[in-house]
Each structure stands twice: as structure tokens, then as C-alpha cells.
Amino acid sequence: MEFQTRDDVSTGNEEDLFVPSDDVREHLVVVGNGMAGCRAVEELLARDGARYRVTIFGAEPHVNYNRIMLSPVLAGEKTFEDIIINNQQWYDDNGIELIVADPITAIDRTAKTVRSESGRTVSYDRLLIATGSDPFIIPVPGKDLPGVISFRDMRDVDTMLAAADAGAPDGEQGRAVVIGGGLLGLEAAHGLTLRGMKVTILHIMPTLMERQLDEAAGWLLKTALEDRGQTILTGADTAEIFGQGKVEGVRLKDGTLIPATLVVMAVGIRPSVALAREAGLDIGRGIKVDDHMVTSDPAVLAVGECVEHEGNVYGLVAPLWDMCRSLADGLTDQHSGYKGSVTSTKLKVAGLDVFSAGDFSGGEGCEDIVLRDASRGVYKRVVVKDDRVIGAVLYGDTADGGWYFDLLKRQENVADIRDFLIFGQSFASGGGALDPKAAVAALSDDAEICGCNGVSKGQVVACIEKGACSLDAVRGTCKASASCGSCTGLVETILALTLGEDVQSGPKTMCKCTSFGHDDVRREIVAQGMTSIPEVMQKLHWATPDGCSSCRPALNYYLLCALPGEYVDDQQSRFVNERMHANIQKDGTYSVVPRMWGGLTNPRELRAIADVVEKYDAPMVKVTGGQRLDIFGIKKEDLPAVWADLNAAGMVSGHAYGKSLRTVKTCVGSEWCRFGTQDSTGLGVKTERMTWGSWMPHKFKIAVSGCPRNCAEATIKDFGVVCVDSGYELHVGGNGGIHVRVTDLLCKVATEQEALDYCAAFTQLYREEARYLERTAPWIERVGVDYVKARIVEDDVGREALRARFLYSQSFSQDDPWAERAAGEHAELHQHIAEVRPMETV
């Protein structure tokens, strides 16, 4: 199935669609490639995948993505690829014709055709309108100025990111005004703040999120956001947006002027009904539908934010999922019928947890139960009427939100647990109070688990019972926990309850301090622009205050790799060998290995080594497996003096102690050997000059052999070069350790310079993508050598980019740490431990 755009249209009629001649199925045309339209199709496919031929028209140039996750994209916490719900493969696999960037402009209900902006006319048997909603733009002067946008799609996100990058005309920090203190406005403000803009929020009402929060919770939210650097003006009525040719600021009706390079309108949405109204369908606040989502035309259905059901319109995702299920039932003759939705809102902005559900306006017959914990910043309010929960507002601790919402939906009598209700499910459930699994087990099957994707507990359990035995499998099957991830703990508990010990573990976390795996942490460091270990721990919710010996060295490396020249190496996050720049031995002394380029040495270096051995009474000198001399038995306090003596002979650190480039082993090659085909020694020296000083996920060794006899053992090194008559064979992923692994042949090149370039590119790919303490051998076995070839051999542009990044990084790392220590830096690390003497006898 081809991915089509409006530019692919050549004849402007339905003949552009691929329709097999023997396909006599009814044709379902979906207007809207958003969350509701595609979810309806998903539900339909789940019931009867072969029932309809499906064509989807989308106005945006994208596949189906999770619109409510635009905020994390703006904030830099996710990429667009992370929020894709259905990729092109999904359309292809299900035989769905997708036409993007070509909105439908007209419906001919008599002819049962739709016409797109590009001129394409397509007939339908059933038409599904899922046009969603349009952002509301307040009609003030200046609303059309460049720089005034809404927050609705990826184009808006791109505009905001560009504005944040551009800053202010005077080179200072860019300024943004967000009009609207509702959920969407606060998320936009949070993202822009993280992107470096100075943000002012204007809200016409006295408190933020007045539809979701009561006054107390709204005040707490405002105070917390102001503490995070945002300016919030409530009761702020916008008079105009001013600027010459582009937005320059906002003027309020009280005369206040607020400078701005960007204005985001986030004051609400309206059902998008223009197309339906033009087609003559019944319209109220939205497109009127019955319980089966059928409009006033039996052949036309509608779903999502664009519809009105029983006088209600909805702007949250949960009702959309309910509608889609009822619609799919109707299209497959099951006719369950939509009965309306009870909604809840869960929000996390700038680390602040907020939840609300139901009616919390209070009034006659209602009873408010309130808990305030000022020291923890927690506020809870549950509204009860006739012994039943009718509303709840939670701030700071939303863990029991799902339970309150479940009580509200089921209208369960809470008289017996009234006294404990405000303390949450743990206390209220008595015997199961201290068992979190019991709390989840007590949830009803229709209790909502994943608000982002509208997945209930019963659906998660069904998904598990059909074979999803891991968190990733659940995410990939029913999408629970696949978006914001806030329900991950719930899903894991349901997995444990359903499968017991049969739960399959997902990717390992870095350590006990975090629930993130190595890949997730690396991705988030780059995506969120984090620049320090404390920042990573704070933003990724580390469970320990300072990390541990596993995660700190890894974080230090990841930051060092991601921010060359910017990140300052944290010595305290290194293992003892790397802190001391020498290898500690079992007797507490150290061994020192000076670098010998390509394994070469000379009388001056040998004399220096011999002098060090005698001067510091080193008991042993050993030739290493990498053709270097290792001086054993050096006391910690003597290390700076040893380094100073070796530096004086021109020798630098061999990094034999580090997760770094160790050595480049060579044979004598064509200069001396009768079988040598190339100058392997010379190439080894050049390679070591290029790569020394580079920090790696693990130790990294290179070798260059002058002929296929392979005297340098290049085929068990991380990167090996075997010289042949016609050039250089490049090998990768070898390991001579406990588990010997012979290299994979990467490719063959003709020149020394190519060998160096490929080496730099491969090294950088490994540095950027391998997990800390993962050598090249397991890394390649994990990702596959074909992947490495695709990145290094088949992608010329990508290879050059990797090479350039490696060399750029090297420009900051090739400083000899021995010389720094010899000059006195970190002298305290080499102080002799104070002598302990027995106390004098009095």
C-alpha cells in the first residue's frame, strides 16, 4: 500500500485509489487521521478486520500520533517518533489507504462522495467524520500577527521551538505570553519555560484550571508554578496583541503591557463542524449523533471532539475511546450503544500532580471531606452526596485518583469507609491497607488504568491473558502505559497479579536507583538538554539522593559523551582506577602504563622507565598483552612524581586503567616483515594518535596486522585492521576476554585515510549507543552487525557525521591527565595516609 499525499494526485478522481477488482467490501471513508478516527478504525479491525475497505484522509502530513503528548515533545522529553500511535506499517498491514496533507473540503451526501482540497473525489458506503476540534482564537486586535499561534498540532510545536531557539531580537532570552490558564495553556507554558523562554501566563478567571480544580488546589498550583519561574496573572483580560509586522507584546485592559516574541492562544477549543454543517447534517454544539454515533444521515457517522451526544460535547480522550467502541460495535452489528462519559483529569506539569473528577462544586446536600498536608504540599478534597462520591480534587498526591474515580463511576455506597475515605484506598480498605497489590486487585474491570489511551483494567487483563507477558508486550498490544507512562506501576502490578512468577522482565534498569534503562536515560539526557548528574537525577525521579556506584559512573560517561567541551567531568563519579589514573593492585599499590604509540619505544623512553623502576623501587616490570610496559608496585603518594618523570621523557598516560582507548597493537608490517603488505606500524601509530584519550562505555582495544597472518591479533579486538595487498580489511566487535569472540568483517577499504575515517565513525557509534560497561562484542550481538554496517558502510553522510563528532569530541579530551596531576591538581588524592601511632603510656 502506498503512502499518498496530495501531490500524488494526478487525475483528481477515485481512480487514484488502489482497489483490487475483486474487492466488493463496503467502503468506509474516514475524514480525520487523528486519535478518534484511527482509534475507531482500530476498534473496527479488532472486531472484524475484513468487513470494510478503509480509506483515511488526514489534513496533517503525518501518520497518526498522540496529540495529547505534544506537550512532552515541546518540553523536549519526547520526540515526534515517540508519540506516533500507528506508523505506516500499521496502515499497510491492515490494507488501509492513507492520504495525508489533503483535507476533505466537501461532502456530497446524495452522490455519497467526498472531495478533497487537491481535487480528489472518492465515493463511500459509510462515511466517518472525525474532524476533532478547532482552537478558539479570541477576537482581539492583533490576533493575526505573525507570532500568534494556537497549541494544537506539530506545526504549532515547531513554531514554538523556533521561537525559543531564536530568542529576543536583542539577543536576550525570548519572551512568550500564553493566554489561557487551563490544562493546555499550562502545558504550553511549561514546555516553553524548559526551552529557555521567559513565560507569562494570562488567565481571565481568578484561579487556574477552574474547570478542573477548586480554589484551594488552583492556588497551590499557581504558587508552585511561580516558584518555577513563571509569571502568572489571573483576572487578566487581554485588550490587544500589538506589534509592527509581527507580535511584540500584549496589552491588558487595565493598561498593563507585556513584551513578547511569541503569543500562544490556549483559551479553549470548539468542535470542528464546518464540513458537516456545509453538508447539511444536524448541528448543535457539535455534530449531533445517536448512541451508535450515527448522524442525521444514516450513512454518515461521527466520533470524537466534533460530536454532540445528548447535549454534551467532550474535550478529553476517555470519552473518545468510549465513543469509538460503541461506533465499532455498531459497524459490526453489535450495537452496544454509547451512554455518555464520566470524565476525570490527570495532569502532571513541572512535576506537579493534579487530579480531578466529577462534580466538586459542592452545594446543598453535599459533604466536603478535606485533607491538607502543608509540609508535603498535598491537598485532597472528596465531595460526597447521599453516601456516594460525586467529585474529587487531588493536588500533590494523586495516587488514589483512580480509586476515587472508580467509586464515583460505580456510585458505590461509601458510608462504611466514610471516616477513612480521605486517607485513600490503603486505609479505607482495611485488611489490604498495606498491600499495594490488594488495592489494584480490588479495582473493578472497568476501572481506567491508562487515561492517555483509554485502557481499563479489564482490557489490560485480557491483553495479558492473550499472551502479553511483559510490560513491553502490554504496551504494544493494548497501549496501556505506552504514552506518558504514569500508569506503568499499575500495569506492572496487574501483570504480577495475573501471571505471578511468569511475568517476563523488560529491559533492565540502570540500577536500583531508577526505573529507567540505559537507553532511556541516554535519550532523555539529549532530549531534555540535561547538563549535570543532579539534574538527571532530579528530572528522571531518581529514587536515591545521590545515586550509587553503578549509575554515577554511567551518568558521568553519558553526559561526557553527549556534551563534549561543555560537561565538566565528575571525578567523584569514577571508579578508583580512573580517579587515580593508575591500576590499583591487591596490595594497595598501583601499576603505571605509559603510552607507547603503536607499540613503539626508544632508548629515552626505556631509560625513563628503568629510572622510575629503580627510583621508586618498583618490584616488577611486565610487558602487557597490548605491547606496553607495565610498572608495578608504585605507592599512591609516589604516583605524581612517577608521572612527572615519565612526562619528562615525553611519555603520557596509557589509559590502561580506564573505560577508554587502551592500546593500538601492531606488527612490524611491510617495513620489516617479508609477508607484510602495508605499513601496519605506521597506521597503528596514526590510529592511536587519533583515538587516544577517548572515554568509552568500556575498555576499547585496536590492532593493526600487516598481513592476513594477523600477528597483531586484530580479529579479536574491538576494532581491527588486517592489511591485504589491495587495501585494508576492517573488523569490529572482537573480544579476547573470558568469552572469546572473533570480529565481524565490517568492510574493506582502499586507503589508510579511509581506514582511519571508518575507525573514527565506528568508535563514535559505539560511544553514542552502547550502554555503559557494554563492550563492543555484546553490543554488536545485541544490535546486529547489519545495523552497524547500515550506519557505517551504507550511509556515507551518517558515517561522516559520526567521524566529525568523534574528532570534535577528541579536541577536548586529548589532555594528559598525568601531566595535570604531576602539576599538582587534586594533590589531596595522593596524600599519604596519616601514620597511626600508639598512645603514650601515662
Side-chain angles (χ1 to χ4, degrees):
M1 192 69 63
E2 295 295 326
F3 183 92
Q4 298 190 42
T5 69
R6 56 184 299 166
D7 296 332
D8 297 325
V9 177
S10 56
T11 60
N13 57 50
E14 192 174 4
E15 299 306 315
D16 299 314
L17 297 182
F18 173 73
V19 184
S21 58
D22 58 349
D23 192 342
V24 295
R25 295 176 297 171
E26 285 188 88
H27 188 196
L28 173 66
V29 173
V30 182
V31 182
N33 188 39
M35 296 175 67
C38 282
R39 181 58 173 261
V41 173
E42 286 182 22
E43 295 284 351
L44 179 62
L45 293 173
R47 286 158 179 76
D48 189 351
R51 178 76 173 263
Y52 294 91
R53 177 167 67 89
V54 179
T55 299
I56 300 177
F57 281 85
E60 293 185 67
H62 305 292
V63 292
N64 175 226
Y65 65 88
N66 191 336
R67 195 179 301 279
I68 63 174
M69 298 303 288
L70 286 174
S71 298
V73 175
L74 174 63
E77 297 163 356
K78 290 183 180 290
T79 66
F80 175 72
E81 286 68 28
D82 294 330
I83 67 171
I84 290 175
I85 299 175
N86 294 303
N87 58 22
Q88 183 59 43
Q89 192 64 45
W90 175 79
Y91 296 91
D92 295 343
D93 291 345
N94 292 289
I96 298 169
E97 190 94 21
L98 172 63
I99 301 167
V100 298
D102 194 11
I104 294 298
T105 56
I107 301 170
D108 186 336
R109 290 167 49 206
T110 303
K112 298 180 76 170
T113 62
V114 295
R115 186 168 183 79
S116 72
E117 189 175 78
S118 67
R120 184 194 304 262
T121 300
V122 173
S123 63
Y124 64 83
D125 298 300
R126 301 288 186 97
L127 179 67
L128 172 58
I129 301 176
T131 46
S133 58
D134 298 320
F136 178 64
I137 303 297
I138 54 176
V140 295
K143 65 180 176 58
D144 297 320
L145 280 171
V148 180
I149 63 169
S150 60
F151 184 21
R152 188 64 184 159
D153 55 29
M154 273 303 300
R155 184 176 56 183
D156 295 329
V157 172
D158 290 338
T159 301
M160 284 190 262
L161 294 178
D165 290 341
D170 56 5
E172 296 296 322
Q173 183 182 24
R175 292 173 177 267
V177 168
V178 177
I179 302 178
L183 188 153
L184 199 61
L186 297 185
E187 291 188 337
H190 174 58
L192 290 169
T193 301
L194 291 180
R195 292 291 183 175
M197 298 196 82
K198 189 172 183 179
V199 179
T200 300
I201 299 171
L202 307 179
H203 194 49
I204 196 168
M205 300 303 290
T207 60
L208 298 175
M209 292 182 66
E210 74 282 354
R211 292 183 181 179
Q212 293 84 22
L213 302 180
D214 61 10
E215 183 179 9
W219 179 84
L220 284 169
L221 179 62
K222 178 175 182 289
T223 303
L225 292 174
E226 287 173 337
D227 288 344
R228 284 159 171 76
Q230 296 175 14
T231 301
I232 299 175
L233 303 178
T234 53
D237 198 356
T238 302
E240 68 165 334
I241 301 169
F242 61 89
Q244 296 296 319
K246 61 181 181 179
V247 64
E248 295 177 8
V250 174
R251 183 176 65 82
L252 303 182
K253 287 185 178 178
D254 65 4
T256 303
L257 295 177
I258 307 164
T261 54
L262 177 74
V263 173
V264 181
M265 288 263 200
V267 293
I269 55 175
R270 288 177 170 172
S272 180
V273 298
L275 180 68
R277 177 179 282 120
E278 191 69 21
L281 297 172
D282 286 352
I283 305 296
R285 296 167 62 198
I287 305 169
K288 290 188 174 181
V289 295
D290 65 13
D291 291 351
H292 306 295
M293 314 314 294
V294 179
T295 70
S296 54
D297 182 338
V300 181
L301 304 97
V303 71
E305 293 176 340
C306 63
V307 308
E308 175 187 323
H309 175 265
E310 298 289 344
N312 296 312
V313 295
Y314 298 95
L316 297 171
V317 292
L320 271 59
W321 309 146
D322 295 337
M323 293 179 194
C324 290
R325 285 190 280 270
S326 298
L327 182 144
D329 286 343
L331 283 175
T332 53
D333 303 324
Q334 300 176 42
H335 304 294
S336 60
Y338 177 61
K339 304 301 180 186
S341 299
V342 180
T343 60
S344 66
T345 300
K346 191 171 185 179
L347 173 67
K348 193 177 187 72
V349 172
L352 306 172
D353 292 311
V354 176
F355 172 87
S356 71
D359 179 7
F360 50 85
S361 59
E364 187 175 350
C366 295
E367 182 183 8
D368 284 331
I369 308 172
V370 176
L371 169 69
R372 295 177 190 271
D373 186 341
S375 62
R376 294 175 56 217
V378 171
Y379 169 79
K380 296 182 178 182
R381 177 179 169 220
V382 178
V383 183
V384 176
K385 186 175 184 180
D386 298 330
D387 292 329
R388 285 165 175 78
V389 175
I390 64 168
V393 180
L394 310 177
Y395 178 90
D397 179 359
T398 59
D400 287 306
W403 180 61
Y404 289 127
F405 188 47
D406 194 40
L407 291 174
L408 188 154
K409 287 197 298 182
R410 291 191 287 120
Q411 283 296 282
E412 187 172 311
N413 190 309
V414 296
D416 291 342
I417 58 173
R418 161 67 180 79
D419 292 344
F420 306 102
L421 189 63
I422 198 63
F423 300 111
Q425 186 177 14
S426 295
F427 279 89
S429 59
L434 300 178
D435 183 357
K437 286 187 177 180
V440 178
L443 291 175
S444 62
D445 280 351
D446 61 351
E448 185 178 82
I449 300 299
C450 176
C452 294
N453 294 295
V455 185
S456 69
K457 177 188 171 187
Q459 290 173 298
V460 175
V461 171
C463 163
I464 296 169
E465 290 176 342
K466 289 180 180 176
C469 298
S470 68
L471 179 62
D472 281 348
V474 172
R475 286 171 170 169
T477 307
C478 70
K479 294 187 169 58
S481 174
S483 293
C484 76
S486 62
C487 62
T488 297
L490 277 174
V491 175
E492 289 176 331
T493 302
I494 296 173
L495 271 163
L497 288 169
T498 309
L499 296 176
E501 296 180 353
D502 294 330
V503 177
Q504 297 173 3
S505 61
K508 290 183 178 178
T509 60
M510 285 183 65
C511 62
K512 61 179 175 56
C513 304
T514 176
S515 59
F516 285 86
H518 284 265
D519 298 340
D520 297 326
V521 171
R522 297 201 78 166
R523 183 189 66 248
E524 292 302 318
I525 284 174
V526 175
Q528 298 190 44
M530 292 183 272
T531 59
S532 69
I533 290 175
E535 184 181 10
V536 175
M537 292 180 174
Q538 181 66 26
K539 289 188 173 180
L540 299 186
H541 312 289
W542 237 245
T544 53
D546 300 311
C548 68
S549 59
S550 293
C551 61
R552 287 196 70 96
L555 292 179
N556 189 49
Y557 169 73
Y558 293 153
L559 287 162
L560 199 66
C561 182
L563 302 167
E566 181 179 348
Y567 174 71
V568 178
D569 185 33
D570 181 12
Q571 285 288 310
Q572 296 309 309
S573 295
R574 292 193 173 278
F575 296 123
V576 58
N577 284 355
E578 292 185 344
R579 288 202 306 274
M580 301 307 298
H581 301 295
N583 282 329
I584 191 167
Q585 303 299 328
K586 65 180 184 180
D587 65 351
T589 64
Y590 290 80
S591 74
V592 172
V593 182
R595 191 168 294 283
M596 294 177 176
W597 307 100
L600 295 177
T601 187
N602 54 49
R604 187 186 185 203
E605 292 178 349
L606 292 173
R607 276 191 207 98
I609 291 173
D611 290 344
V612 163
V613 171
E614 288 187 347
K615 183 176 181 180
Y616 299 96
D617 197 22
M620 187 171 79
V621 182
K622 172 78 171 63
V623 178
T624 71
Q627 300 175 332
R628 308 297 190 267
L629 291 174
D630 196 350
I631 309 166
F632 285 83
I634 303 298
K635 298 174 183 175
K636 184 172 69 173
E637 57 269 31
D638 289 336
L639 285 172
V642 168
W643 297 330
D645 289 351
L646 293 172
N647 280 159
M651 307 189 80
V652 299
S653 166
H655 288 80
Y657 44 80
K659 307 294 180 277
S660 58
L661 184 277
R662 295 286 179 89
T663 60
V664 179
K665 188 175 182 179
T666 65
C667 68
V668 295
S670 58
E671 187 175 4
W672 294 93
C673 179
R674 291 176 298 143
F675 306 105
T677 62
Q678 309 284 354
D679 179 14
S680 56
T681 308
L683 177 56
V685 172
K686 292 174 186 174
T687 305
E688 190 163 355
R689 292 283 186 188
M690 178 182 73
T691 54
W692 80 280
S694 52
W695 294 109
M696 304 281 189
H698 209 300
K699 60 185 177 183
F700 191 93
K701 297 179 179 179
I702 299 175
V704 185
S705 289
C707 78
R709 289 169 179 76
N710 194 15
C711 293
E713 301 169 328
T715 51
I716 55 168
K717 293 294 186 285
D718 296 282
F719 188 87
V721 181
V722 176
C723 301
V724 295
D725 288 331
S726 55
Y728 306 84
E729 291 179 350
L730 307 183
H731 297 257
V732 295
N735 186 358
I738 296 174
H739 303 291
V740 178
R741 184 183 191 273
V742 176
T743 51
D744 294 301
L745 177 63
L746 180 67
C747 64
K748 182 180 174 183
V749 297
T751 67
E752 270 195 356
Q753 187 58 52
E754 288 177 293
L756 290 167
D757 293 345
Y758 277 68
C759 176
F762 172 78
T763 305
Q764 185 65 9
L765 183 65
Y766 169 62
R767 294 181 75 234
E768 291 181 354
E769 298 193 359
R771 298 162 187 164
Y772 192 68
L773 298 185
E774 183 178 41
R775 289 203 64 178
T776 58
W779 171 61
I780 285 180
E781 290 183 349
R782 178 166 63 83
V783 303
V785 70
D786 289 341
Y787 168 77
V788 177
K789 287 181 177 178
R791 296 289 306 274
I792 304 297
V793 182
E794 299 162 14
D795 182 358
D796 294 344
V797 175
R799 180 179 67 248
E800 173 54 28
L802 285 165
R803 186 192 74 91
R805 290 201 293 274
F806 178 72
L807 297 182
Y808 176 74
S809 176
Q810 286 295 88
S811 68
F812 301 102
S813 67
Q814 290 190 322
D815 293 322
D816 179 26
W818 283 0
E820 296 172 357
R821 291 292 175 87
E825 187 171 327
H826 298 297
E828 73 281 0
L829 294 177
H830 306 280
Q831 296 296 319
H832 185 66
I833 297 175
E835 185 177 358
V836 179
R837 299 178 179 175
M839 295 182 65
E840 294 182 5
T841 303
V842 178

